[in-house]
C-alpha cells in the first residue's frame, strides 16, 4: 500500500529537528554552535507535511501570552470566524490577469485541494520572539508502494497559512519550504496585521532540485503596522512567489528584501505589488539576484499609488549579478502614480562582479576563484542578516 502520512513524515523527522537546531553540518559542532542549537531548539516550531499538520514534529509549548500556532481545528474561538471568513476569499477573483499578479488560478486550486491550514494568532499587545513554520513535501508512490522499489510519482501539496496579529502585537516568523524528490508545492499565505502591529517575516524557499514551487503571499496592514519581509529563493527547478502588500492604514510601512540564487537551468520568479491604499504610508524594496549556468530570474515589481494617497514614499531597487554568459535576468519595475505629493523611485542594475574588487583580493594572496567566492558570500550575507537562522545563512552564502 502507499505509505501513510505518518510514514511519509518519518524521513523528515531527523532532518526537521536538525534544521531546527541549525546543525546541518556533518562535522562535530563547536561550543558556539552547540549553544546556537540549544537556543534554536527552544524556539516554538510548527511543522506541516504535504499540507497536513504533524503533531510529532511540532512543538509550540513555549508559546505564551495567549498566542496560538497550530492546525485549523484547534484555532481559538475568538478568531475562528475571522479565519474561516478569510478562507472564503480568493485573491484577484474579479481582477484583470494582464495587470495583476496572477494569484487567482493557483489560489483557487489551493482552496479546492485544501487539507489543513497553518493558523498563527498573536493577541493584541503580545510579543512572540521567533516562530518557525516548516512546510515539507514528499513524493507519492503508485499502488506497489515505496517498499516494493517503485519509482515515485509527481506529488502535489497545497500548504495554507493564515496569520493574524492583534493591535500592537509583534512576531518574528521563519517560514521554510523544503522537501525531497519531485513534487509540486502550491502555497497560499494570508497575513493580517492590526494597528501598530509588527511582523518580521523570513521566507526561505529551499525546495529539492526537482520541485515546482508556487506561492502567493498576501499581506494587509492596518494603521501604524510594519511588515519586514526577507524572501530567499535558492531551490526548486521552477519557482514563483507572488507578493502582494496592501497598506490600508495611515503610517503603515513595508520593507521588502529578496534574494534569488539560480544555477544550472533553474527558473526563479518574484512578482510583487505594493498598493498604497492609504495616505502617509511608505515602502522600500530591494531585490538581489545572482545567476550562474543557464539559470533565469524574473523580477516584476509594481508600486501603485492611487488617487488620495498623498504623502507617499516608495523606493524600489533590483540588483543582479550574471556570473555566466548563458544566465538571463528579466526585470520589470513599475510605478503607477495617480496622485501628487509623493516621493517614488525605482532602479535596476545588471553586472558581473567588480574586477577591481577581485583584483584587490588577488593582490592580497587569494586566487581569482577564491576572491569571487568571497565577494559573493559577502554580497549574499549582507541581505541575510535579518534571517533568524544561521544555518540558512550559511547555506545561502555557500550557494
Amino acid at each position: 500500500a502507499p505509505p501513510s502520512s505518518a510514514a511519509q513524515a518519518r524521513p523528515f523527522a531527523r532532518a526537521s529537528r536538525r534544521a531546527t537546531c541549525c546543525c546541518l553540518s556533518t562535522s562535530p559542532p563547536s561550543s558556539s554552535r552547540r549553544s546556537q542549537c540549544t537556543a534554536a531548539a527552544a524556539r516554538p516550531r510548527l511543522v506541516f507535511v504535504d499540507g497536513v499538520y504533524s503533531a510529532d514534529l511540532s512543538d509550540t509549548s513555549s508559546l505564551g501570552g495567549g498566542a496560538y500556532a497550530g492546525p485549523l481545528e484547534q484555532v481559538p474561538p475568538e478568531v475562528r470566524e475571522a479565519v474561516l471568513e478569510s478562507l472564503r476569499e480568493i485573491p484577484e477573483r474579479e481582477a484583470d490577469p494582464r495587470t495583476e499578479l496572477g494569484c487567482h488560478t493557483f489560489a483557487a486550486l489551493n482552496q479546492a485541494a485544501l487539507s489543513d491550514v497553518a493558523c498563527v494568532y498573536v493577541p493584541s499587545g503580545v510579543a512572540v520572539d521567533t516562530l518557525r513554520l516548516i512546510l515539507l513535501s514528499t513524493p507519492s508512490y503508485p499502488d506497489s508502494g515505496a517498499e516494493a522499489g517503485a519509482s515515485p510519482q509527481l506529488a502535489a501539496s497545497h500548504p495554507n497559512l493564515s496569520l493574524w496579529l492583534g493591535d500592537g502585537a509583534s512576531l518574528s516568523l521563519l517560514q521554510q519550504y523544503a522537501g525531497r524528490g519531485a513534487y509540486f508545492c502550491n502555497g497560499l499565505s494570508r497575513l493580517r496585521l492590526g494597528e501598530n502591529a509588527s511582523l518580521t517575516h523570513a521566507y526561505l524557499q529551499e525546495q529539492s532540485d526537482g520541485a515546482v514551487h508556487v506561492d502567493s503571499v498576501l499581506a494587509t496592514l492596518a494603521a501604524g503596522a510594519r511588515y519586514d519581509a526577507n524572501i530567499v529563493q535558492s531551490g526548486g527547478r521552477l519557482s514563483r512567489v507572488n507578493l502582494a502588500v496592501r497598506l490600508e492604514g495611515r503610517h503603515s510601512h513595508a520593507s521588502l528584501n529578496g534574494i534569488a540564487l539560480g544555477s544550472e537551468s533553474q527558473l526563479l520568479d518574484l512578482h510583487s505589488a505594493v498598493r498604497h491604499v492609504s495616505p502617509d504610508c511608505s515602502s522600500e524594496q530591494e531585490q538581489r539576484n545572482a545567476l550562474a549556468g543557464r539559470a533565469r530570474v524574473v523580477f516584476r515589481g509594481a508600486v501603485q499609488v492611487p488617487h488620495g494617497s498623498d504623502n507617499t514614499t516608495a523606493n524600489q531597487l533590483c540588483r543582479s549579478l550574471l556570473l555566466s554568459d548563458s544566465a538571463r535576468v528579466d526585470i520589470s519595475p513599475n510605478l503607477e502614480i495617480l496622485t501628487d505629493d509623493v516621493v517614488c523611485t525605482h532602479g535596476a542594475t545588471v553586472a558581473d562582479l567588480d574586477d577591481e574588487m577581485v583584483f584587490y583580493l588577488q593582490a592580497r594572496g587569494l586566487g581569482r576563484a577564491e576572491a569571487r567566492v568571497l565577494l559573493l558570500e559577502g554580497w549574499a550575507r549582507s541581505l541575510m542578516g535579518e534571517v533568524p537562522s544561521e544555518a540558512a545563512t550559511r547555506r545561502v552564502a555557500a550557494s
Side-chain angles (χ1 to χ4, degrees):
S4 63
S5 59
Q8 290 176 335
R10 277 195 293 270
F12 283 110
R14 185 177 302 171
S16 174
R17 297 189 185 100
R18 196 165 61 233
T20 302
C21 68
C22 304
C23 294
L24 295 181
S25 174
T26 56
S27 60
S30 62
S31 58
S32 60
R33 285 187 58 195
R34 280 196 296 268
S35 62
Q36 292 174 357
C37 292
T38 303
R43 296 172 180 167
R45 70 177 179 271
L46 186 61
V47 182
F48 280 68
V49 178
D50 294 331
V52 179
Y53 173 68
S54 174
D56 294 336
L57 301 180
S58 301
D59 182 5
T60 59
S61 58
S62 58
L63 279 177
Y68 171 79
L72 177 62
E73 63 180 358
Q74 301 173 14
V75 73
E78 58 267 28
V79 294
R80 184 188 302 275
E81 188 57 37
V83 171
L84 293 177
E85 182 63 29
S86 69
L87 293 178
R88 299 186 185 101
E89 301 175 4
I90 299 179
E92 301 181 358
R93 186 190 298 269
E94 304 295 335
D96 185 345
R98 297 171 298 178
T99 58
E100 297 295 330
L101 293 178
C103 300
H104 177 75
T105 300
F106 287 102
L109 177 61
N110 181 287
Q111 267 330 59
L114 190 67
S115 300
D116 203 345
V117 180
C119 297
V120 178
Y121 168 63
V122 181
S124 299
V126 175
V128 176
D129 183 16
T130 300
L131 170 66
R132 303 191 65 165
L133 173 60
I134 303 174
L135 303 165
L136 304 174
S137 298
T138 64
S140 63
Y141 293 86
D143 293 340
S144 55
E147 296 180 357
S151 299
Q153 297 177 337
L154 182 64
S157 63
H158 303 272
N160 194 304
L161 167 64
S162 181
L163 182 146
W164 288 73
L165 298 186
D167 296 345
S170 64
L171 170 66
S172 176
L173 175 68
L174 176 57
Q175 183 177 2
Q176 293 178 279
Y177 286 90
R180 59 184 179 89
Y183 52 85
F184 169 55
C185 179
N186 174 37
L188 179 60
S189 303
R190 299 178 176 92
L191 317 174
R192 294 181 178 270
L193 282 63
E195 293 185 2
N196 300 310
S198 175
L199 174 62
T200 300
H201 185 194
Y203 180 103
L204 303 181
Q205 185 275 102
E206 299 177 296
Q207 303 282 26
S208 68
D209 293 340
V212 175
H213 177 86
V214 178
D215 196 3
S216 296
V217 181
L218 317 174
T220 303
L221 282 64
R226 181 181 180 92
Y227 177 51
D228 295 288
N230 294 275
I231 298 178
V232 180
Q233 296 191 78
S234 61
R237 178 173 58 86
L238 187 154
S239 173
R240 173 163 173 166
V241 176
N242 298 314
L243 176 61
V245 179
R246 290 178 59 88
L247 305 174
E248 295 188 346
R250 288 178 178 267
H251 305 295
S252 55
H253 175 77
S255 176
L256 312 175
N257 295 313
I259 183 168
L261 303 173
S263 62
E264 297 180 352
S265 58
Q266 282 183 290
L267 173 58
L268 306 175
D269 284 19
L270 176 66
H271 294 228
S272 67
V274 181
R275 294 175 172 86
H276 289 253
V277 180
S278 175
D280 302 313
C281 296
S282 59
S283 66
E284 299 175 356
Q285 183 175 19
E286 181 177 352
Q287 173 68 23
R288 297 191 183 188
N289 310 307
L291 297 83
R294 294 180 292 108
R296 179 183 177 186
V297 166
V298 178
F299 170 70
R300 177 174 173 263
V303 177
Q304 301 172 349
V305 186
H307 289 290
S309 296
D310 298 334
N311 196 26
T312 288
T313 301
N315 300 302
Q316 184 186 87
L317 176 63
C318 181
R319 303 168 61 188
S320 302
L321 291 177
L322 297 183
L323 305 176
S324 74
D325 294 336
S326 301
R328 173 178 171 178
V329 59
D330 297 282
I331 304 171
S332 176
N334 297 285
L335 293 179
E336 301 176 21
I337 303 174
L338 302 178
T339 190
D340 299 323
D341 191 17
V342 300
V343 178
C344 297
T345 65
H346 67 175
T349 62
V350 180
D352 197 348
L353 289 173
D354 191 332
D355 285 335
E356 291 187 3
M357 293 184 180
V358 175
F359 176 77
Y360 177 86
L361 294 177
Q362 285 183 286
R364 279 146 183 80
L366 293 181
R368 181 172 177 81
E370 293 175 313
R372 289 176 64 87
V373 169
L374 188 62
L375 288 173
L376 281 172
E377 284 189 14
W379 182 83
R381 282 183 178 271
S382 64
L383 204 64
M384 292 290 292
E386 300 299 322
V387 177
S389 172
E390 180 61 26
T393 301
R394 290 196 302 270
R395 291 195 297 273
V396 169
S399 298

